[in-house]
Amino acid sequence: MLLHIIYLIAITAEAVTGSLSAGKQRMDLFGVTTIACVTALGGGTVRDVILGHYPLGWVKHPEYLYYTICAALVTTFIARWLHYLKTIFLILDSLGLVAFTLIGCTIAREINCPTIIVLVAGMLTGVSGGVLRDVLCNQVPLVFQKELYASVSLCTGIAYLALLHFQINDSTATLICLCSGFLLRLLAIKYSWQIPTFSYDDNAH
Amino acid sequence: MLLHIIYLIAITAEAVTGSLSAGKQRMDLFGVTTIACVTALGGGTVRDVILGHYPLGWVKHPEYLYYTICAALVTTFIARWLHYLKTIFLILDSLGLVAFTLIGCTIAREINCPTIIVLVAGMLTGVSGGVLRDVLCNQVPLVFQKELYASVSLCTGIAYLALLHFQINDSTATLICLCSGFLLRLLAIKYSWQIPTFSYDDNAH
Amino acid sequence: MLLHIIYLIAITAEAVTGSLSAGKQRMDLFGVTTIACVTALGGGTVRDVILGHYPLGWVKHPEYLYYTICAALVTTFIARWLHYLKTIFLILDSLGLVAFTLIGCTIAREINCPTIIVLVAGMLTGVSGGVLRDVLCNQVPLVFQKELYASVSLCTGIAYLALLHFQINDSTATLICLCSGFLLRLLAIKYSWQIPTFSYDDNAH
């Protein structure tokens, strides 16, 4: 239940980031809503297509589509004031990342995937919406270059599986991971934590 | 039957647009045929993968692949004369957009999708081939930036569902939507109709 | 068995190419391992999603994921010496292309696809990992522009099906195609064989 509410907040937050990205490319309203839907719902779609888990979430619950479309259209009106809300927005996005991850892990566990696939499913759900957004906006995906993001998703997934392994019940584990993953992400933003970068320049290659 | 013939014309027209895009990037013949196939058959593929509707159309009817490959190769020979045919070509592409949309809606209805998913399936079929073409040619998808295109697809889908709702029979509804969608697209091209663009430049974001 | 060993060598080689591409974009370690996995396992994933062949190879055998992740991380340490190994590396990549192709054809034959779909499945397995790598690194896919690569995959597939058609047993056919496809690719690299390029510059289009 809690996870579901946070999921709705999360897809809204992701829809906003998608709209703003589309706005930077001066897309029309169709482009804006499409990028918003891809950003908000793309992570779950990639996960479900890879796991063969049909019907997709938003096909079964089309109301998710309505939320994201509304969020996208509202964003185009309020964009000029959004930088005042930047902190709230980063907080929602961080909550979303963690919530998406936990939902992805839960679904992969339900269909009995091996442990590493559960972690991958969590990360796919958490980050691939943003990757698709950046590909469609013709940019190198941000998530591959900037501060701790996918790593937060991975840590959240590992913590969740560890807690379940030690017989903690599912709701408690979810709540603990939600809070600690969220905190980790906020700290990563505040202190600009990064994982090491690999730079390779051999032009001869 | 009519829809099937128009479908064949449509995939040929889309294959031609794909080849020309690939030619602008100086791709080799393999690249040209690949981009042509992705443009012509990618829309239906995306729709079927998202709906879990297997086997895919071109896997079941490989003759569609032959058509697009032939169209792609022929295009490389006749490209220098194609600008004389530009009007014919825009007409075929417009017919294709509307035909793809109606086929997408029909397939989604057959597997009992909710109304909004039927519309989304129509739009995915109509426009995502062109989106994939632009992503593979490393460009921001045209369909997100230029004149009325996806909106024509959406209007066609809505009109189709409305007519069916009022008990019009399927063939009549298809024919009416084909003609009116086609007309709408031609008018949009002629008068450069656009839907509003959203521009967002906050570099601080 | 032979094919399986070559498959493991191939995914390692592809993981290395993926890591180096990611390094050129100065990605972080998460980006590097993701691009490596997409390059190594993306071809099989695209094939299986298109054929509706679930569960995906690496979901069923997560050890493939471990190999590619290790290969990616090791690459970041030894990248500075890799240009000394360039020849070995090109050889492994060529072997991989041919092995991927034969595996793709075998899987499509097992689920009774039509002949042309078997060839397409082989090519998808052989080349689409590299295409995804280039799209995520924001480049026009190399395979669409440079020397004989996809064509080697196509020829290998055709030779394989021809041999099976003439009642050659499967292992013999695999071995012959592996060697001759590999040789063809090495010759193509050594003599810079290319298939014709299509260039189209009509700005009016």
Side-chain angles (χ1 to χ4, degrees):
Chain A
M1 180 45 60
L2 175 71
L3 207 56
H4 186 72
I5 292 167
I6 291 172
Y7 176 73
L8 294 181
I9 296 172
I11 60 176
T12 309
E14 296 302 325
V16 174
T17 70
S19 300
L20 295 180
S21 264
K24 284 184 197 157
Q25 301 282 339
R26 294 162 191 275
M27 293 190 182
D28 64 21
L29 290 186
F30 168 74
V32 171
T33 47
T34 305
I35 301 291
C37 290
V38 165
T39 311
L41 307 170
T45 302
V46 168
R47 177 202 63 222
D48 286 348
V49 166
I50 279 180
L51 298 180
H53 179 254
Y54 288 102
L56 304 188
W58 56 270
V59 171
K60 205 164 148 199
H61 299 287
E63 64 270 22
Y64 298 159
L65 261 185
Y66 293 119
Y67 292 135
T68 43
I69 292 169
C70 291
L73 295 178
V74 168
T75 302
T76 63
F77 287 104
I78 62 168
R80 69 187 63 185
W81 301 288
L82 271 185
H83 55 106
Y84 296 117
L85 303 170
K86 220 173 158 184
T87 315
I88 293 175
F89 175 69
L90 270 178
I91 288 174
L92 293 180
D93 177 67
S94 305
L95 254 183
L97 170 67
V98 182
F100 277 174
T101 302
L102 291 170
I103 290 167
C105 291
T106 304
I107 287 175
R109 285 186 71 239
E110 275 168 13
I111 57 176
N112 297 314
C113 291
T115 305
I116 189 173
I117 302 300
V118 172
L119 292 175
V120 169
M123 292 172 77
L124 281 175
T125 315
V127 309
S128 50
V131 171
L132 287 173
R133 176 196 63 209
D134 294 342
V135 167
L136 288 177
C137 293
N138 201 16
Q139 291 168 339
V140 173
L142 257 182
V143 68
F144 296 159
Q145 295 180 309
K146 287 278 274 286
E147 77 232 333
L148 233 56
Y149 193 89
S151 324
V152 171
S153 177
L154 181 61
C155 294
T156 306
I158 290 174
Y160 179 62
L161 291 184
L163 291 175
L164 292 181
H165 181 75
F166 291 115
Q167 315 288 342
I168 311 290
N169 83 46
D170 202 345
S171 324
T172 316
T174 301
L175 203 66
I176 293 174
C177 293
L178 206 52
C179 297
S180 53
F182 179 51
L183 198 70
L184 177 61
R185 171 77 180 133
L186 291 189
L187 289 171
I189 294 171
K190 184 158 173 64
Y191 298 106
S192 298
W193 287 344
Q194 296 201 322
I195 56 172
T197 299
F198 168 49
S199 176
Y200 178 70
D201 279 315
D202 182 40
N203 287 313
H205 173 66
Chain B
M1 179 45 61
L2 175 69
L3 207 57
H4 186 73
I5 292 166
I6 291 172
Y7 176 72
L8 295 181
I9 296 172
I11 58 176
T12 309
E14 296 302 324
V16 174
T17 69
S19 300
L20 295 179
S21 263
K24 283 183 196 159
Q25 301 280 340
R26 295 160 192 275
M27 292 190 182
D28 65 22
L29 290 186
F30 168 74
V32 171
T33 47
T34 305
I35 300 291
C37 290
V38 166
T39 312
L41 306 170
T45 301
V46 168
R47 177 202 62 222
D48 287 346
V49 166
I50 279 180
L51 298 180
H53 179 253
Y54 289 102
L56 304 188
W58 57 270
V59 170
K60 204 163 147 198
H61 299 288
E63 63 271 23
Y64 299 159
L65 261 186
Y66 293 120
Y67 292 136
T68 42
I69 292 170
C70 291
L73 295 178
V74 169
T75 302
T76 63
F77 286 105
I78 62 167
R80 69 185 65 184
W81 299 290
L82 272 184
H83 54 106
Y84 295 118
L85 302 171
K86 218 174 161 185
T87 314
I88 293 175
F89 175 69
L90 270 178
I91 289 174
L92 294 181
D93 176 67
S94 305
L95 255 183
L97 169 67
V98 182
F100 276 175
T101 302
L102 291 169
I103 290 168
C105 291
T106 305
I107 286 175
R109 286 186 70 241
E110 277 168 11
I111 57 175
N112 298 315
C113 292
T115 305
I116 189 173
I117 302 299
V118 172
L119 293 175
V120 169
M123 292 173 77
L124 281 176
T125 316
V127 310
S128 50
V131 172
L132 287 173
R133 175 195 64 210
D134 294 342
V135 167
L136 288 178
C137 293
N138 201 16
Q139 291 168 338
V140 173
L142 256 181
V143 70
F144 295 158
Q145 294 180 310
K146 287 279 274 282
E147 78 232 333
L148 233 55
Y149 193 89
S151 325
V152 171
S153 178
L154 180 61
C155 294
T156 306
I158 291 174
Y160 179 62
L161 291 184
L163 290 175
L164 292 181
H165 181 75
F166 291 115
Q167 315 288 341
I168 311 290
N169 83 47
D170 202 345
S171 323
T172 316
T174 301
L175 203 65
I176 293 174
C177 293
L178 205 52
C179 297
S180 53
F182 179 51
L183 199 70
L184 178 60
R185 170 78 180 132
L186 291 188
L187 290 171
I189 294 172
K190 185 160 171 59
Y191 298 105
S192 298
W193 287 344
Q194 297 200 323
I195 56 173
T197 298
F198 168 49
S199 178
Y200 178 70
D201 280 315
D202 182 40
N203 288 312
H205 173 66
Chain C
M1 180 44 62
L2 176 70
L3 208 55
H4 186 72
I5 292 167
I6 291 171
Y7 176 73
L8 294 182
I9 296 172
I11 58 176
T12 309
E14 296 303 324
V16 174
T17 70
S19 300
L20 295 180
S21 265
K24 283 182 197 159
Q25 301 282 339
R26 295 161 192 273
M27 291 188 183
D28 64 22
L29 291 186
F30 168 74
V32 170
T33 47
T34 305
I35 300 291
C37 291
V38 166
T39 312
L41 306 170
T45 301
V46 168
R47 176 203 62 223
D48 286 346
V49 166
I50 280 181
L51 298 180
H53 179 254
Y54 288 102
L56 304 189
W58 57 270
V59 171
K60 205 164 145 199
H61 299 287
E63 62 270 23
Y64 298 160
L65 261 186
Y66 293 121
Y67 292 137
T68 43
I69 292 170
C70 291
L73 295 179
V74 169
T75 302
T76 62
F77 286 105
I78 61 168
R80 68 186 64 183
W81 300 289
L82 271 185
H83 55 106
Y84 296 118
L85 303 171
K86 219 174 160 186
T87 314
I88 292 174
F89 174 69
L90 270 178
I91 288 174
L92 294 181
D93 177 66
S94 305
L95 254 183
L97 169 67
V98 182
F100 277 174
T101 303
L102 291 169
I103 290 167
C105 291
T106 304
I107 286 174
R109 286 187 70 240
E110 277 168 11
I111 57 176
N112 298 314
C113 291
T115 305
I116 189 173
I117 302 300
V118 172
L119 293 175
V120 169
M123 293 172 78
L124 281 176
T125 316
V127 309
S128 51
V131 171
L132 288 173
R133 176 196 62 210
D134 294 343
V135 167
L136 288 178
C137 292
N138 201 16
Q139 291 168 338
V140 173
L142 257 182
V143 70
F144 295 157
Q145 295 180 310
K146 286 278 274 285
E147 80 232 333
L148 232 55
Y149 192 89
S151 325
V152 170
S153 177
L154 181 61
C155 294
T156 305
I158 292 175
Y160 179 62
L161 291 183
L163 290 175
L164 293 180
H165 181 74
F166 291 116
Q167 315 288 340
I168 311 291
N169 83 46
D170 202 346
S171 323
T172 316
T174 302
L175 203 65
I176 293 173
C177 293
L178 204 54
C179 296
S180 53
F182 179 50
L183 198 70
L184 178 60
R185 171 76 180 132
L186 292 188
L187 290 171
I189 295 172
K190 183 159 173 60
Y191 297 106
S192 298
W193 286 344
Q194 296 201 322
I195 58 172
T197 299
F198 168 50
S199 177
Y200 178 71
D201 280 315
D202 182 40
N203 287 313
H205 172 66

